[in-house]
Amino acid sequence: MCLILFFCIYMLHALKGLKINTRTKRGIRLLVTNDGTYKRRLRERNLCLLRSKINLSFWKKKYHERSIDEKLKIIPVYILTNYNNSPYIFHENEKQVCYLFLCPYDAESMLNDIINSNGVRNARNIKIHYLDMQKAYQLINEFLLLKEAEKRNAHVGKNNVCWKLMPSSRQIQNALLFLSFKKRSELVCPIFYVDGYYLQRDSKDIVPLFFDVEDLKAAIEKTPLKRCKIRVLNFVDVIFSDNHKKFGFIPSSKSVAYLDRLKKIGVRKSYF
């Protein structure tokens, strides 16, 4: 009975909402760019029983609840491809290796070295393509699983390709300035942060981890933090640990700008 009564009240409210008076009262200065748009918005407002906008994104997963691979999607990674857009394979210690570059300029340097050393006639056959770190993380995980299977059966890993993450050579040098001699030998892929510097995401304090120390310094300059100490973490340690909920990743601004240029010239994203 109550449900029927509620439905009748709602329908009455809806019928009233369909009656739209487009005349404006005197003394009110109303700017309407399009009469049809104004009528539609007024109708939507009148039909809303709660008279307030409802945030329909409430169902989205909060940032601190996201899995590590979801957080990695914003980070661009660069690879070298051959004439048929397959990964360019290198050989290290009788292993097939494909490099995943965090820095596009390191990828460019490697590309130039290949052309100069091998005398590639058609340099256009080797290109720089991109993918996101989420895909790179999946590829590395698949390789690690195959490596575990190789221990049980040597024939499994015979033709496997090793996906090797290549940190920015510039950021490696920057990281060494903030590490003790003992910690330097343990460094694989540096990311930078500052104690006490947080970003608000979904009402939670998130510690931003920067891939570029220059971006971190620029961000800190806009805050009241003074004499803050820059700290370094191993990116690989973070993504393969369970302690990532409080962290967020900030890709290098230079890498993002380079990616934008690639997209403008029509370089396709790689999906292998």
Side-chain angles (χ1 to χ4, degrees):
M1 186 66 184
C2 293
L3 184 62
I4 296 173
L5 180 61
F6 178 81
F7 180 74
C8 292
I9 294 173
Y10 179 79
M11 291 302 297
L12 180 63
H13 182 84
L15 291 172
K16 288 181 179 179
L18 291 174
K19 295 180 180 180
I20 298 174
N21 184 9
T22 57
R23 293 177 298 175
T24 58
K25 296 180 180 180
R26 292 182 180 179
I28 298 177
R29 301 181 64 184
L30 181 66
L31 178 62
V32 181
T33 56
N34 184 288
D35 188 57
T37 302
Y38 171 66
K39 288 181 180 179
R40 177 170 51 80
R41 288 179 179 175
L42 189 59
R43 186 178 293 111
E44 289 173 354
R45 187 199 68 184
N46 288 340
L47 286 173
C48 181
L49 191 62
L50 299 178
R51 293 298 181 104
S52 61
K53 291 185 178 180
I54 300 175
N55 183 12
L56 297 179
S57 63
F58 68 92
W59 55 270
K60 289 185 178 180
K61 193 181 293 184
K62 293 182 179 179
Y63 189 82
H64 61 276
E65 296 174 347
R66 295 178 189 176
S67 61
I68 187 66
D69 59 325
E70 289 177 293
K71 292 182 178 181
L72 296 175
K73 196 171 184 179
I74 62 170
I75 305 166
V77 179
Y78 303 89
I79 62 170
L80 300 183
T81 61
N82 55 26
Y83 64 93
N84 62 353
N85 294 329
S86 297
Y88 190 92
I89 303 298
F90 297 84
H91 294 275
E92 287 186 7
N93 301 323
E94 300 181 354
K95 291 283 187 180
Q96 298 184 94
V97 180
C98 180
Y99 295 134
L100 302 167
F101 294 92
L102 279 173
C103 176
Y105 301 104
D106 289 344
E108 277 190 357
S109 178
M110 179 67 77
L111 175 62
N112 293 330
D113 288 344
I114 293 171
I115 294 173
N116 294 333
S117 60
N118 296 343
V120 179
R121 293 181 180 179
N122 190 359
R124 294 182 181 179
N125 285 340
I126 305 178
K127 298 179 181 179
I128 296 177
H129 278 213
Y130 70 94
L131 60 155
D132 56 57
M133 183 61 79
Q134 183 183 37
K135 181 62 178 178
Y137 175 75
Q138 293 170 0
L139 291 170
I140 293 172
N141 258 336
E142 289 172 6
F143 171 73
L144 292 176
L145 290 173
L146 289 172
K147 197 172 181 181
E148 287 295 321
E150 185 181 354
K151 293 178 181 178
R152 298 187 295 270
N153 187 349
H155 297 288
V156 173
K158 191 173 182 181
N159 296 315
N160 288 338
V161 176
C162 172
W163 299 90
K164 187 174 182 180
L165 187 64
M166 303 296 290
S168 166
S169 56
R170 177 181 175 84
Q171 299 309 319
I172 285 284
Q173 296 301 316
N174 287 333
L176 295 178
L177 300 175
F178 305 105
L179 293 174
S180 63
F181 182 78
K182 182 180 179 180
K183 291 288 185 180
R184 290 179 182 181
S185 60
E186 301 172 1
L187 184 64
V188 178
C189 181
I191 43 178
F192 307 89
Y193 75 102
V194 166
D195 284 331
Y197 179 52
Y198 303 98
L199 296 177
Q200 279 278 331
R201 292 295 301 271
D202 300 317
S203 302
K204 290 284 185 179
D205 287 337
I206 301 296
V207 179
L209 302 178
F210 288 78
F211 282 83
D212 192 324
V213 72
E214 286 86 1
D215 292 340
L216 173 57
K217 290 178 179 178
I220 292 298
E221 286 179 359
K222 300 176 183 178
T223 70
L225 293 173
K226 302 295 181 183
R227 296 181 181 179
C228 49
K229 185 178 180 181
I230 295 177
R231 300 186 181 276
V232 182
L233 289 176
N234 257 325
F235 172 64
V236 177
D237 293 339
V238 175
I239 63 175
F240 287 107
S241 73
D242 296 327
N243 187 26
H244 61 79
K245 290 186 177 181
K246 63 179 181 180
F247 295 123
F249 299 104
I250 310 295
S252 166
S253 58
K254 298 182 183 69
S255 179
V256 172
Y258 189 95
L259 177 60
D260 290 339
R261 291 198 296 272
L262 282 186
K263 289 179 178 179
K264 286 180 181 178
I265 63 176
V267 175
R268 292 177 297 173
K269 186 177 180 180
S270 295
Y271 291 97
F272 37 76

